[in-house]
Amino acid sequence: MKKALIIIVFFVACFTVGLTVGVGALVFFGGRSVSEIPEILGKVDVLEMIGIFIAACLGAVVAFFLQIIVHEGGHLAAGLLTGYRFVSFRIFNFALIRRDGKYVWRRFNVSGTAGQCLMAPPRKPLDEIDMRWYNMGGVLANVIVSTVALALLFCCDIPKWAIFFLVMVAIIGYYSALMSGIPMKMSGISNDGYNMLYLNRSPRDKRLICQMLEVNAKIQEGALINELPEEMFNEEPVDWSDGIQANWQLMVVGRMEAEHRWEDALRLINEGLDEPRMMPLLATELSLEKVFICLVTGRNDEAKVLYTDRLSKYVHQFERTQSSKQRIKFTVALLLNGQEDEATTILNNLKAHRDDYLMQGEVAMDIALMEYVYASYRQNSYTSQTAELSEQD
């Protein structure tokens, strides 16, 4: 019922916006006066009005998709022009990557983002790496395309069906440019404008951003996180309210898990979860890793309390694009619910579809951790059975 109400409200809002923009287009671009609008609307039959509404919705959706592609394409172009190397180009769940010299599509998703262009930084000293163009390339691309759309409206004889589309392209593009370009944080996530200003003032965060981009590139190519240079992961004081530092610590936790340093990882996770100002998304990710470590180290009661319906739904939402969520499902099934058959099915499915995932190094690490957990589980089961038989004898 709630979802149906949301859909109804959405379409009513779309109709209202479409009607408003359509009337505005008639007045400003169609040469009609405001007094003529009621007469014009009175001549439109219901079917025609429905057709206009559907066309308006489709035009808005296409314009929205277009400006996402334009924004991420702007990051890509600006990055390539300033020496960055292509890593991945994602629109919603579909990511274009380069693997073995070929461009291939893979599925990947990150909560709170409609698209993302990841690139590896130039191989230069940190103080010589310019991140301004890379950060602001998307904003500039939105502004350029929106301005071209407006220019076409004013300077060219545009077909009526295209007027609304160009208006939506301009509105959505300028809105995207403002939301990305004006320095701000939303739900703890810094936008492009904030990053452009802040990274120049914080050498440490600039270094961490460069490290994250480099690590992402290597993991996507298949490297394991515990194979990367150890000096990159040296522990240092963390401001968990800083999204960049907190994101990097999530990678540090991943390396500790790969090395089976459970207590070190748990200490770091608890430190982060004690910070109330941390990004909600990162708090969710850390909570899942805490569930995993609690189960691996025999803290099942604590894991059961932690693994709420909200976390379970989050895992289900991203299980097809992030192998770490398959690892969580596997461990919960095996160690919390005692469902060995279900756990082995999850593990075998991940092995069979490992090439479908974007981050190949992460998949390899998750499979290795799952096999370690399963081997420990089987060994403990064997030991328990042997002890029971000895007692019976």
Side-chain angles (χ1 to χ4, degrees):
M1 183 66 183
K2 184 177 179 181
K3 290 183 177 179
L5 182 61
I6 291 173
I7 292 172
I8 292 171
V9 171
F10 172 76
F11 277 107
V12 169
C14 287
F15 178 81
T16 304
V17 172
L19 182 62
T20 303
V21 174
V23 169
L26 284 173
V27 173
F28 291 104
F29 305 112
R32 303 300 182 94
S33 65
V34 176
S35 60
E36 293 180 277
I37 299 302
E39 182 181 350
I40 294 171
L41 293 178
K43 294 178 181 179
V44 178
D45 60 29
V46 175
L47 290 178
E48 186 177 356
M49 183 64 74
I50 292 174
I52 292 172
F53 171 66
I54 294 174
C57 289
L58 289 175
V61 169
V62 172
F64 176 68
F65 271 88
L66 175 64
Q67 287 291 15
I68 291 175
I69 295 172
V70 166
H71 184 89
E72 301 306 329
H75 285 303
L76 177 62
L80 291 174
L81 289 172
T82 52
Y84 286 72
R85 290 164 284 133
F86 176 82
V87 174
S88 66
F89 185 91
R90 179 176 62 83
I91 302 297
F92 293 104
N93 281 13
F94 299 96
L96 179 68
I97 65 172
R98 190 174 184 180
R99 182 173 295 167
D100 299 327
K102 298 178 181 179
Y103 290 98
V104 295
W105 288 99
R106 289 292 181 267
R107 295 187 65 189
F108 189 66
N109 197 10
V110 177
S111 180
T113 63
Q116 191 176 43
C117 175
L118 288 179
M119 307 188 78
R123 293 188 174 97
K124 299 178 180 179
L126 185 65
D127 58 355
E128 295 181 15
I129 297 176
D130 189 342
M131 307 197 78
R132 293 172 297 179
W133 287 107
Y134 175 46
N135 275 297
M136 295 305 290
V139 172
L140 294 174
N142 286 138
V143 170
I144 290 170
V145 170
S146 298
T147 304
V148 169
L150 283 183
L152 290 174
L153 285 171
F154 285 106
C155 302
C156 301
D157 185 15
I158 301 297
K160 292 181 179 179
W161 61 267
I163 291 176
F164 176 82
F165 173 70
L166 291 176
V167 169
M168 292 308 299
V169 167
I171 291 174
I172 293 172
Y174 284 130
Y175 175 79
S176 176
L178 288 173
M179 295 302 292
S180 299
I182 298 175
M184 68 177 80
K185 286 187 176 182
M186 292 172 283
S187 299
I189 302 175
S190 54
N191 67 359
D192 296 328
Y194 185 93
N195 285 336
M196 185 189 72
L197 293 179
Y198 180 70
L199 292 179
N200 281 334
R201 302 173 185 170
S202 175
R204 179 186 175 186
D205 278 15
K206 182 179 179 180
R207 168 175 59 83
L208 292 179
I209 281 283
C210 289
Q211 287 182 185
M212 280 190 280
L213 292 173
E214 194 66 51
V215 168
N216 272 318
K218 291 185 180 300
I219 290 177
Q220 182 180 295
E221 293 167 358
L224 299 178
I225 195 167
N226 54 321
E227 296 175 342
L228 301 179
E230 185 176 355
E231 59 270 17
M232 294 176 66
F233 297 89
N234 290 335
E235 288 194 55
E236 51 190 331
V238 184
D239 178 3
W240 288 95
S241 65
D242 183 314
I244 295 172
Q245 294 184 31
N247 256 300
W248 176 252
Q249 293 308 307
L250 187 60
M251 288 189 167
V252 174
V253 167
R255 183 182 175 93
M256 289 175 172
E257 289 175 338
E259 297 173 338
H260 302 170
R261 295 166 54 195
W262 311 121
E263 298 305 323
D264 287 339
L266 190 59
R267 171 183 51 78
L268 196 58
I269 289 170
N270 286 332
E271 182 184 316
L273 292 177
D274 285 341
E275 172 53 70
R277 297 173 298 166
M278 187 170 60
M279 290 170 52
L281 173 61
L282 289 178
T284 298
E285 291 288 344
L286 286 175
S287 295
L288 285 174
E289 297 307 329
K290 184 173 181 178
V291 168
F292 172 73
I293 294 172
C294 283
L295 289 172
V296 171
T297 56
R299 299 173 170 96
N300 285 33
D301 290 340
E302 188 173 357
K304 189 173 184 179
V305 173
L306 282 170
Y307 197 62
T308 60
D309 288 341
R310 182 184 67 84
L311 286 185
S312 178
K313 290 177 181 178
Y314 181 81
V315 167
H316 179 71
Q317 181 181 357
F318 295 102
E319 64 183 353
R320 292 187 178 182
T321 57
Q322 298 178 16
S323 61
S324 61
K325 305 307 178 282
Q326 297 286 358
R327 169 170 51 83
I328 300 297
K329 278 184 60 180
F330 164 87
T331 311
V332 168
L334 184 67
L335 300 182
L336 188 61
N337 300 331
Q339 300 170 325
E340 184 176 353
D341 290 343
E342 173 68 15
T344 54
T345 298
I346 294 170
L347 175 56
N348 291 333
N349 282 339
L350 181 58
K351 288 180 177 180
H353 298 282
R354 63 188 301 163
D355 290 339
D356 296 341
Y357 287 85
L358 176 65
M359 308 300 285
Q360 285 297 295
E362 183 179 66
V363 177
M365 185 194 79
D366 287 323
I367 290 174
L369 286 172
M370 291 160 77
E371 289 178 335
Y372 168 84
V373 169
Y374 189 55
S376 299
Y377 171 83
R378 296 294 296 168
Q379 179 62 38
N380 291 337
S381 297
Y382 174 78
T383 302
S384 298
Q385 292 172 5
T386 302
E388 288 177 5
L389 290 174
S390 298
E391 290 176 2
Q392 292 175 5
D393 292 341

